Amino acid sequence: MKRFLVRYRVFLVLLAGLLALFVGRTLLAARYRIPRLDDLFTIGVLVGSLAVLIRWRRDLRRGDWAAALALGALVGVGMGFATLFTPYPFLGVARSHLAQGAVRGCSTALALLGGAAVMRQGGPVQFRAARGEWRTFGRSVLVGLGVGAPLAALNVYALQFTQGQSIHWQNPLAAVLDALQPGVVEESIYRFAFLGLLWLALRASLPEQAAWLAGLLALLVHNYVHFDDLWLQAPWVALGMGLVMALLWGVPPTVLALRRDLDSAMAFHWLQDAARFWAGY
């Protein structure tokens, strides 16, 4: 037991810290207006991304900068034209599409640069577009779409059942474009930058398990930050729903990211949201 505690001490500290943040924020939110969980974690990941970017900026390649800035610009400009996707105001302040576009575009670019800095140190998640591996990138997109297609259909059916409303088809072009917002932004922040930062913290003590343990923590955090209100109203329901959603829609992109690359995880996530936006959810 003592050997286990010594070996897994960093992982246990990280787990305890994440749990404390969830519990603490929920308790405080019952009495005060404080930022949403997603905002808090986004800020933390961006601070970490900036730190690794400063430390390893010289290891970045032109492709890393080009991919990060291009996707950041795509997200920022795309948010200005979004009609089906409406994110929560960042920190309760950024409400307009212009402000949201600026925040989301800059956040995406910084997270991708931080994730790329970790990748250049031997990180577990590869970014084919940044590496210029275009054939592999194309195959990865197809793999992500193939894995995501049945789960996207299941997601639409589940939303139809849980929300009790029929499908109302929306503009497919708007659905395709708006789905880039969660698909690119969330995967960049949670499955690339955050997972990479967790891996950095774990690699010394658990070199063989670091990637999958980091993926597990990033998966759970990304999944459960969506339940701010439900944590207050029905925490056990939030716990159960989150577990189901993590298994169905969290495990696949995590496995794709670790076994293949970020590009396939983005394609998977994009398809889930494109399908639900198109169906009117």
Side-chain angles (χ1 to χ4, degrees):
M1 184 64 178
K2 183 177 180 180
R3 182 179 297 180
F4 173 86
L5 292 175
V6 171
R7 187 181 182 192
Y8 284 84
R9 64 187 183 281
V10 177
F11 173 75
L12 294 173
V13 168
L14 287 172
L15 180 61
L18 294 172
L19 287 172
L21 184 54
F22 271 87
V23 173
R25 189 270 170 194
T26 301
L27 293 175
L28 289 173
R31 301 185 61 181
Y32 308 102
R33 290 189 60 182
I34 61 174
R36 300 180 66 84
L37 283 165
D38 183 50
D39 293 348
L40 293 174
F41 276 101
T42 295
I43 292 171
V45 171
L46 293 180
V47 170
S49 296
L50 181 60
V52 296
L53 175 59
I54 292 173
R55 180 176 181 181
W56 290 310
R57 63 188 183 280
R58 294 179 181 175
D59 294 330
L60 293 180
R61 315 288 172 78
R62 289 183 179 180
D64 301 330
W65 289 96
L69 295 178
L71 281 177
L74 177 65
V75 167
V77 173
M79 189 63 228
F81 297 94
T83 56
L84 302 178
F85 175 71
T86 305
Y88 288 102
F90 185 73
L91 295 177
V93 177
R95 297 180 179 275
S96 69
H97 275 36
L98 180 62
Q100 285 278 19
V103 170
R104 295 176 68 81
C106 292
S107 298
T108 299
L110 180 54
L112 287 172
L113 288 171
V118 176
M119 178 182 73
R120 296 301 178 184
Q121 307 308 309
V125 180
Q126 301 302 304
F127 187 14
R128 304 299 177 186
R131 299 176 70 94
E133 300 172 357
W134 297 111
R135 289 186 178 181
T136 305
F137 166 81
R139 290 194 294 268
S140 294
V141 170
L142 292 176
V143 169
L145 295 177
V147 173
L151 289 170
L154 176 62
N155 189 31
V156 170
Y157 174 79
L159 289 169
Q160 184 180 12
F161 176 77
T162 57
Q163 296 186 11
Q165 64 181 48
S166 59
I167 291 175
H168 297 284
W169 298 111
Q170 305 296 314
N171 185 323
L173 180 59
V176 166
L177 294 177
D178 285 13
L180 290 171
Q181 294 294 323
V184 172
V185 177
E186 293 179 21
E187 294 302 312
S188 300
I189 292 174
Y190 288 100
R191 214 91 58 189
F192 195 37
F194 187 41
L195 193 158
L197 293 170
L198 292 170
W199 173 80
L200 284 176
L202 293 167
R203 64 174 177 170
S205 59
L206 296 165
E208 296 182 0
Q209 298 91 352
W212 288 104
L213 290 177
L216 174 64
L217 292 177
L219 180 165
L220 292 173
V221 169
H222 174 235
N223 186 70
Y224 280 114
V225 296
H226 291 85
F227 296 100
D228 290 84
D229 297 330
L230 198 56
W231 282 122
L232 289 169
Q233 300 164 4
W236 290 110
V237 174
L239 190 64
M241 285 184 60
L243 181 60
V244 172
M245 292 182 65
L247 290 173
L248 291 174
W249 291 286
V251 170
T254 300
V255 173
L256 285 170
L258 290 172
R259 283 301 184 96
R260 197 166 183 92
D261 44 46
L262 176 68
D263 316 68
S264 58
M266 282 184 175
F268 174 95
H269 195 151
W270 170 83
L271 186 59
Q272 308 308 304
D273 289 301
R276 73 179 181 92
F277 289 161
W278 187 28
Y281 298 108

